[in-house]
Amino acid sequence: KANYFSKFSKPPVICRVVGRKVLDGLGLPTLEVEIHCTVKNYEKRLSSIVISSHFQVLENALPETAEAEEKERNDSVNTAVKWVNESLNTMLRDLEPTDQCQVDKMLGEYFTTKVEEQKASQKQEETTGADATLAPPSCTPSATSLPGKKKASKPGKKMSVVEIMIPPAEPAESVLCGSSAIGATSLAVAKAGATISHIPLYLHIAQLKHDQESPKEMTLPIPMLNLLNSEKNSSAKLRLVKEVMLIPPVQLSIEQGIERVLDINKEMVTLLDPPEKAYSNYYFFFNFQPRALKRISHLGCLVIGSDNIEQMLLLIQKACTKAGLELGTDMYLAINCAAHELMDYAKGKYETLTGTFKSPDEMVDMYVDLIKKFPFIIALIDPLRKEDREQWNNIWCALHSKCYLIAEDAATNISRLKTDENINLPTCSGVVLKHINETKVSDLIELTGLLDDQKHITILGSPDGESSDDSLVDLAVGLGARFIKLGGLLRGERVTKCNRLRAIEEEL
């Protein structure tokens, strides 16, 4: 009888939204949001979310740079906490958590208001500054001009201007201080809605994407797990590679794939820190001294320095062989090149090795040769800057049938990806999406729908500043992502998400 009459009770509504400053997996400040609802006349805490930070983890940063980053991070989190506890707490009161569309609409309007307030404040400051001082006349250099003084060209000698005629870098995407309050609150409300509906978060997300209908079938995303991080600031020469990830074959279960990754990890540790007797043979075989060791990246994997990419790939191949696995059959690789970090704008070229530079067209040729030599590499992430669209088209024509070409740097700000009903991306196979800052659940649903329609692959990515909150996995499953980029298995906040993925696999 109680269950029967409970159907006629008033649906739960939000009565309180709580924000607080907590620590992420690296001990750095981030935001937690709790949703409290009135359920049958009693206040009940239904959900909480710890959002990942958009801030990059700086390696070997100067003290003043690290100090400025720390201040900016703290200001951002403190502002977000204030937004949640004051404005958002009042604004969302009495709304039903199951009405995600209305909640996200109000959050979007609030964020737009804050952006306009910031623009008005900046304009007023600029006007005040212009009145106080007379700015000296200046000329704006062209987008392709080099910094510094120009040398007069000698008669009969042509200047090599072709090398520097590259598309200029797009302006850095600004992040509004406190914007993480929007994304965190949106996901916390979605989690509360799932709790009220007595279904897992991934199924609630899937129903939101499919107009409140459960999808006929659900597939799990394939994990991309970091094996190595390349040390770009060390004495090693290789700069082209930022991350090397392992991708298990699709026919394996999540548990089987993770077991293979762990086996390869163990062999890699042995190879990088060999017993004294085997050291001379190891050094002779690879012709370089292992430079890694006893250091774990913030992404949860070993850090290594190499003199060229072949050395690194041969090392991985040897580790797989020792684990009884074959690359290209039992395991595949993905490489994150982070090409936007390699561009030397003075030369107009990418620095792939220390002192070795390649033009965008030469980069395309290099990748074609790399995939031909190592066909077990099935994904390249950010092989070029997003501005080099002509070269993206060329590399797509040459390689799209052999490996995935993924854009990650281009997808950091989801609001700039969507233009009308199109995706503002270079020619690629898919994108890495991240739930950070003002990204709402509705934004992810809309964008992944567009990506699906245009046959793009969706990858849900874990940012640098990750927490132990495992909601990213539910998002990836509910949104129907093809892959999920989690980091490595040597840090707890990364392993938590692997465990959640295994749990969902059991449920399904």
Side-chain angles (χ1 to χ4, degrees), residues 396-432:
W396 165 263
C397 293
L399 291 179
H400 80 277
S401 62
K402 299 177 181 177
C403 75
Y404 297 117
L405 302 166
I406 308 297
E408 179 172 13
D409 179 51
T412 51
N413 193 330
I414 288 179
S415 62
R416 290 179 59 172
L417 280 180
K418 181 177 174 292
T419 56
D420 298 325
E421 294 303 315
N422 294 311
I423 302 295
N424 180 27
L425 282 172
T427 307
C428 61
S429 308
V431 296
V432 179

Side-chain angles (χ1 to χ4, degrees), residues 321-377:
T321 302
K322 287 175 70 65
L325 303 171
E326 183 181 351
L327 283 175
T329 303
D330 304 313
M331 189 63 66
Y332 300 91
L333 296 187
I335 293 179
N336 180 8
C337 304
H340 54 284
E341 299 177 4
L342 304 178
M343 177 57 72
D344 185 320
Y345 285 93
K347 291 182 171 63
K349 292 187 175 184
Y350 294 95
E351 188 175 13
T352 57
L353 301 172
T354 303
T356 300
F357 299 88
K358 293 185 182 294
S359 68
D361 290 325
E362 290 171 334
M363 293 286 282
V364 174
D365 295 335
M366 180 194 67
Y367 288 126
V368 171
D369 292 341
L370 180 67
I371 299 302
K372 185 177 180 180
K373 189 174 181 180
F374 300 101
F376 48 75
I377 300 172

Side-chain angles (χ1 to χ4, degrees), residues 266-382:
K266 291 175 185 176
E267 297 299 337
M268 185 63 67
V269 171
T270 304
L271 284 174
L272 290 172
D273 197 7
E276 189 131 354
K277 293 179 182 178
Y279 177 79
S280 58
N281 293 333
Y282 171 80
Y283 180 84
F284 177 77
F285 181 83
F286 288 104
N287 197 27
F288 80 106
Q289 183 177 354
R291 300 180 178 93
L293 303 191
K294 319 246 184 187
R295 189 150 86 80
I296 305 299
S297 163
H298 61 276
L299 294 173
C301 60
L302 293 167
V303 180
I304 185 174
S306 301
D307 289 335
N308 56 61
I309 192 169
E310 287 80 8
Q311 286 178 342
M312 180 179 286
L313 293 174
L314 288 172
L315 178 64
I316 297 171
Q317 206 166 22
K318 185 173 178 64
C320 289
T321 302
K322 287 175 70 65
L325 303 171
E326 183 181 351
L327 283 175
T329 303
D330 304 313
M331 189 63 66
Y332 300 91
L333 296 187
I335 293 179
N336 180 8
C337 304
H340 54 284
E341 299 177 4
L342 304 178
M343 177 57 72
D344 185 320
Y345 285 93
K347 291 182 171 63
K349 292 187 175 184
Y350 294 95
E351 188 175 13
T352 57
L353 301 172
T354 303
T356 300
F357 299 88
K358 293 185 182 294
S359 68
D361 290 325
E362 290 171 334
M363 293 286 282
V364 174
D365 295 335
M366 180 194 67
Y367 288 126
V368 171
D369 292 341
L370 180 67
I371 299 302
K372 185 177 180 180
K373 189 174 181 180
F374 300 101
F376 48 75
I377 300 172
I378 63 166
L380 293 174
I381 300 175
D382 284 342

Side-chain angles (χ1 to χ4, degrees), residues 134-187:
L134 293 175
S138 61
C139 59
T140 305
S142 64
T144 55
S145 62
L146 291 173
K149 297 180 180 179
K150 294 183 178 180
K151 295 181 180 179
S153 58
K154 295 181 181 179
K157 185 177 180 180
K158 294 182 180 180
M159 292 184 66
S160 179
V161 294
V162 179
E163 293 183 357
I164 60 171
M165 293 295 290
I166 60 169
E170 293 180 9
E173 297 169 344
S174 60
V175 176
L176 183 65
C177 184
S179 61
S180 59
I182 305 300
T185 303
S186 176
L187 187 53

Side-chain angles (χ1 to χ4, degrees), residues 26 225 298-300 461-468 485-499:
L26 299 175
L225 298 168
H298 61 276
L299 294 173
S462 193
D464 274 17
E466 187 54 277
S467 72
S468 56
K485 186 168 174 280
L486 292 176
L489 295 177
L490 302 181
R491 288 195 66 94
E493 66 274 17
R494 310 284 172 175
V495 176
T496 298
K497 292 167 182 58
C498 289
N499 289 336

